[in-house]
Amino acid sequence: MKKLISILIVLFTSTLVFAQSADAISEILKSEQATIGQVSYLCAVQQLKILESDDYEKAVEAMISEGYLPENVSSSDLVTLSQAAFLFSKNWDINGGLMYMITKGSRRYVFKQFVADGVISVYADPSSKLSGSELLALYSSALGRYGDFNMKSVSMEAE
């Protein structure tokens, strides 16, 4: 049941993801293990740091140049839940708690803020590796919580 809900969320998210090619989303969705390159691609395209036609290496370079990733990271490195949360946190203005503000959104407190806001489960392990569908589900959850998309503003009536 959890997989079905995750897949539905991912499918819904893939229609909402701004300016990202269906091929890249499909590739991420099919991945058994998500990589730093994939999460960097999602972030860099949303932040308009790269074009949707650029590759994962270019996305990682963009995240390194912003100071979000260390210089020795490779686009093929597997991504952990806390790394993905940290990179996704750079996409939106997050009003966090005191320690989040003091540390200017350190990895530890980004993870804790995502848990407090219900984006990540309280039982989640920050060091766990993600699959592609889990990565897109996390992106969708964060987008729903922190993004400015409001479903109530969408008219579902035929024109």
Side-chain angles (χ1 to χ4, degrees):
M1 183 68 178
K2 188 176 179 182
K3 274 191 172 186
L4 178 63
I5 292 172
S6 293
I7 290 172
L8 290 175
I9 289 172
V10 168
L11 290 175
F12 179 72
T13 302
S14 65
T15 62
L16 297 177
V17 176
F18 173 73
Q20 295 170 359
S21 72
D23 293 338
I25 299 299
S26 296
E27 182 181 330
I28 294 170
L29 186 57
K30 291 177 188 174
S31 299
E32 289 186 29
Q33 293 190 311
T35 64
I36 292 285
Q38 291 170 332
V39 70
S40 295
Y41 175 83
L42 291 170
C43 294
V45 169
Q46 181 173 344
Q47 296 173 22
L48 304 175
K49 305 282 184 208
I50 64 169
L51 301 173
E52 69 176 85
S53 58
D54 289 334
D55 59 8
Y56 296 148
E57 286 78 21
K58 182 123 177 157
V60 169
E61 289 171 14
M63 295 294 100
I64 290 171
S65 70
E66 291 294 317
Y68 302 153
L69 290 173
E71 291 187 21
N72 62 346
V73 73
S74 167
S75 66
S76 61
D77 292 346
L78 299 180
V79 69
T80 64
L81 182 55
S82 65
Q83 289 171 322
F86 175 74
L87 288 173
F88 286 154
S89 75
K90 301 306 179 187
N91 290 344
W92 303 284
D93 291 327
I94 299 173
N95 296 322
L98 181 63
M99 291 306 292
Y100 179 87
M101 290 186 298
I102 289 173
T103 63
K104 295 180 175 51
S106 73
R107 282 178 170 70
R108 174 184 173 98
Y109 291 106
V110 164
F111 185 84
K112 287 181 174 265
Q113 190 62 49
F114 273 39
V115 169
D117 290 341
V119 175
I120 295 176
S121 167
V122 221
Y123 304 107
D125 178 7
S127 63
S128 64
K129 306 293 184 197
L130 299 174
S131 69
S133 61
E134 291 170 331
L135 177 66
L136 288 174
L138 175 63
Y139 181 81
S140 173
S141 184
L143 177 64
R145 176 68 172 92
Y146 306 116
D148 60 359
F149 179 77
N150 184 356
M151 190 66 176
K152 292 178 183 176
S153 67
V154 177
S155 173
M156 299 304 282
E157 296 180 19
E159 292 184 21

